[in-house]
Amino acid sequence: MWRTVIIGLTVVVAFNFFWVISALGDMENRVLAHLLETAEKIEIEAKETIINHPKSQIDELALFVLQKLRGNITFDTFDTGEIVSFLQNRDDVIEVFIIDSSGMEKARASHEKVFVPYELRNVAVSDYFIEALNEGFTARALHLPGKETPNIIAFKRVDVPDLGVFVFGVNVDISKRLEGFSREIMEDEGELVYIADDTGAVIDHYNPERVGNSLLQMDFVKTVLDAKKEGKYTYQFDAYTDPAGEKLQAAALLFEPISFVIVAEEGYGEAWQTWNRFLFFAIASTALFVFLVLVLTRSTLRAGGFSNQLIQEKGRTES
């Protein structure tokens, strides 16, 4: 019996040490990989609203303007008032810009106003102009007072036939397109995701009550935001407890080029329920064999006591 118990205990200890511990590492890697994969998938979907929509508005603006420039018309003779017709039925496009290669605005208009020549600016030293001219495209978050979701201001280099290189830009309000995005993901795909802007403020969350909250108190989010200064594509993992007291495991992903943060999270219990079953089995099996060892030890000691008592009685009988 002792031999069976010792062999069984050895097997259980070896199982716990070599398999369960390695399984814990594999389980953790799978959970984190799933969270990161989810964040990357959401980044692609959110990009349609945050990046591609403003970019498509620039393309439509360029097409509109190029059609107006036919017939030897230049930007000096172009009636910038016609841009107002481009803004019709585009309520989310707040403002448009046309900048020449020297950085001088040639046209600027909003729904309410067409800027006259003396109001046009020289933006040659602006980082967004330089980046658009050199890289071809850039986008920034534009924070406005009293508005939780920043606008996206985007610029793209455009080659205008016979006139040279220009930079076209748009200021787009993405709030209506982004509203409910995370909640829809939760309802359709069961994933818990949300988006924070470049200041760490939540701009879309599966729980609408969390919109506007700052994530800067979360070290893993702050680390991702700080990494934008170094121009890195980065992500971080961590576990935290939300205001409702639920423990969550999360991945934060930097969303370039506007330095937003995509967070994908999962309930800690849900993420580790399989591991908890393995842990319960390991603890239960170990406890069982320890119990058997204690029972056998007690039985052995009692048997030894009875044996000594019999020997003593036998000795007294013989004497």
Side-chain angles (χ1 to χ4, degrees):
M1 184 67 177
W2 269 103
R3 180 180 299 174
T4 302
V5 171
I6 291 174
I7 293 174
L9 184 60
T10 302
V11 170
V12 169
V13 171
F15 172 81
N16 291 342
F17 186 79
F18 293 106
W19 191 86
V20 175
I21 292 178
S22 63
L24 173 61
D26 292 340
M27 188 73 65
E28 181 180 21
N29 290 337
R30 283 197 293 271
V31 170
L32 299 183
H34 171 71
L35 290 173
L36 181 58
E37 181 181 346
T38 301
E40 290 175 335
K41 181 182 70 174
I42 299 307
E43 179 188 24
I44 294 172
E45 295 181 19
K47 187 176 181 181
E48 288 299 317
T49 294
I50 299 173
I51 300 296
N52 292 349
H53 176 60
K55 184 183 287 187
S56 69
Q57 295 305 302
I58 294 177
D59 292 338
E60 292 178 17
L61 173 63
L63 180 61
F64 174 85
V65 171
L66 290 177
Q67 290 176 340
K68 299 295 181 181
L69 290 176
R70 292 175 179 175
N72 296 323
I73 297 176
T74 67
F75 281 105
D76 293 328
T77 57
F78 173 63
D79 181 7
T80 56
E82 294 189 41
I83 296 180
V84 174
S85 62
F86 170 80
L87 294 172
Q88 290 178 355
N89 301 321
R90 288 183 171 89
D91 294 337
D92 58 341
V93 180
I94 307 304
E95 197 171 17
V96 297
F97 316 86
I98 301 175
I99 309 167
D100 67 20
S101 58
S102 69
M104 190 66 201
E105 288 182 336
K106 305 301 290 185
R108 182 182 176 193
S110 67
H111 289 275
E112 297 80 21
K113 179 178 181 179
V114 176
F115 291 78
V116 296
Y118 71 86
E119 295 177 304
L120 300 177
R121 305 163 300 176
N122 189 320
V123 296
V125 297
S126 300
D127 56 350
Y128 61 80
F129 168 74
I130 296 172
E131 187 172 335
L133 203 58
N134 293 334
E135 303 296 330
F137 176 80
T138 189
R140 298 282 192 279
L142 179 64
H143 297 272
L144 300 173
K147 196 168 182 291
E148 289 180 337
T149 303
N151 289 1
I152 299 298
I153 186 167
F155 296 87
K156 183 178 180 181
R157 185 181 63 221
V158 177
D159 293 322
V160 179
D162 302 323
L163 297 179
V165 174
F166 288 79
V167 171
F168 284 52
V170 293
N171 175 359
V172 178
D173 181 356
I174 63 168
S175 59
K176 291 183 179 180
R177 283 176 167 266
L178 194 62
E179 184 178 3
F181 172 79
S182 298
R183 189 168 185 80
E184 186 177 340
I185 295 295
M186 180 186 70
E187 293 173 351
D188 293 346
E189 304 178 24
E191 302 289 359
L192 304 181
V193 300
Y194 52 95
I195 303 173
D197 64 22
D198 55 337
T199 68
V202 176
I203 59 174
D204 187 67
H205 199 286
Y206 60 86
N207 179 359
E209 295 180 0
R210 299 280 300 278
V211 173
N213 291 358
S214 175
L215 301 183
L216 294 182
Q217 75 277 11
M218 299 180 182
D219 290 339
F220 72 109
V221 174
K222 192 173 185 303
T223 298
V224 169
L225 285 171
D226 289 342
K228 69 184 180 182
K229 300 173 184 177
E230 303 175 10
K232 293 181 178 179
Y233 172 87
T234 187
Y235 57 87
Q236 290 288 322
F237 300 106
D238 203 0
Y240 75 99
T241 303
D242 71 3
E246 182 181 2
K247 190 172 183 180
L248 300 159
Q249 187 146 333
L253 175 69
L254 186 64
F255 181 8
E256 290 289 19
I258 53 176
S259 299
F260 281 10
V261 176
I262 306 289
V263 179
E265 60 188 19
E266 189 173 15
Y268 206 82
E270 296 177 6
W272 292 95
Q273 59 183 353
T274 303
W275 164 249
N276 290 336
R277 295 191 189 100
F278 283 128
L279 185 62
F280 173 78
F281 172 74
I283 293 174
S285 59
T286 303
L288 175 62
F289 277 98
V290 169
F291 175 74
L292 289 175
V293 168
L294 293 175
V295 170
L296 285 176
T297 300
R298 183 172 179 271
S299 300
T300 301
L301 291 175
R302 290 182 64 183
F306 287 138
S307 178
N308 290 334
Q309 186 177 357
L310 289 174
I311 292 174
Q312 290 175 0
E313 290 180 356
K314 182 179 180 181
R316 285 196 296 269
T317 301
E318 291 177 349
S319 61

